[in-house]
Amino acid sequence: MLLHLDASARRPSFSRRLSAAFAAHWRAAHPEARYVYRDLATDPVPHIGQAWTELCDHILEHGITDIARYGEAARTPAQRAAWAIVEPLLEEVVAAEVILIGTPMYNYSIPSALKAWLDQITFPKMSLAGRSIVVTSARGGAYGPGTPREPYDHQERYLRDFFAGHFRIEDVTFIHVELVNALIDPALAHRREQHEESLAAALQEVAR
């Protein structure tokens, strides 16, 4: 199964364009496979609350590492309501072989909509090893290796560390299109050609 998520607040976004292209190629190569799509920007996942923290604490305190047993932590009405939010999200993740995330860089990091989804599905000492993650991203500037802004890239670094540290997933691919602000910022107009080159390379990579 392919679980496809988009997180950009911008409808005609580059991260959405890249994720859609990847999904189309993947589905063509796996016509019998299940496909699930969530738009985290237009249909946002709620932020975690007190009841969610109680679920998390119970799972940690009782050493529950089997994801199928997480529901045991829901003992009060508030906890059951919190679990009702978590359960379908987690079921999708567990069922997926590939998780595709289309996300922009916002303020050097990720959108709050994506962070809310990650918070809801993440519990202590869980493992989603064996799955693959593909992240298609758009950035206003240039943050690649050797660029002056490389140290400010808390998008790829955060997600890569998160997937390895919390999910135990090492098979993570990032496909970036950079300098998208060159299309609208007069100060970056001289770098539009670099943006076009970055976009062409990203579109080629998602088609592999």
Side-chain angles (χ1 to χ4, degrees), residues 58-131:
H58 182 91
I59 288 169
L60 181 60
E61 180 182 0
H62 291 83
I64 301 174
T65 57
D66 181 357
I67 294 174
R69 293 184 53 208
Y70 283 179
E72 297 173 13
R75 293 149 293 129
T76 69
Q79 291 166 2
R80 285 191 286 271
W83 178 246
I85 295 170
V86 172
E87 187 174 23
L89 303 175
L90 202 51
E91 284 179 349
E92 291 171 355
V93 171
V94 170
E97 298 170 299
V98 180
I99 302 169
L100 168 64
I101 301 173
T103 181
M105 173 189 280
Y106 284 166
N107 302 316
Y108 303 135
S109 187
I110 63 172
S112 62
L114 177 55
K115 181 61 165 60
W117 177 80
L118 289 171
D119 287 343
Q120 287 284 3
I121 65 167
T122 304
F123 290 89
K125 303 179 183 180
M126 70 187 297
S127 175
L128 295 170
R131 292 162 183 80

Side-chain angles (χ1 to χ4, degrees), residues 101 103 110 114 118 133 135 137 154-165 169 172 174:
I101 301 173
T103 181
I110 63 172
L114 177 55
L118 289 171
I133 295 179
V135 179
S137 92
H154 303 292
Q155 181 201 45
E156 176 173 340
R157 185 181 309 123
Y158 167 74
L159 288 174
R160 193 178 291 280
D161 289 347
F162 189 98
F163 297 144
I169 297 178
V172 183
F174 285 84

Side-chain angles (χ1 to χ4, degrees), residues 24-42:
H25 286 289
W26 191 93
R27 296 179 74 185
H30 306 84
E32 303 301 320
R34 186 179 168 209
Y35 169 76
V36 173
Y37 177 73
R38 277 190 181 270
D39 190 327
L40 299 175
T42 61

Side-chain angles (χ1 to χ4, degrees), residues 6-8 13-20 101-104 136-138 177:
D6 275 320
S8 177
S13 74
F14 284 99
S15 64
R16 288 176 180 273
R17 179 178 173 184
L18 291 176
S19 73
I101 301 173
T103 181
T136 62
S137 92
V177 57

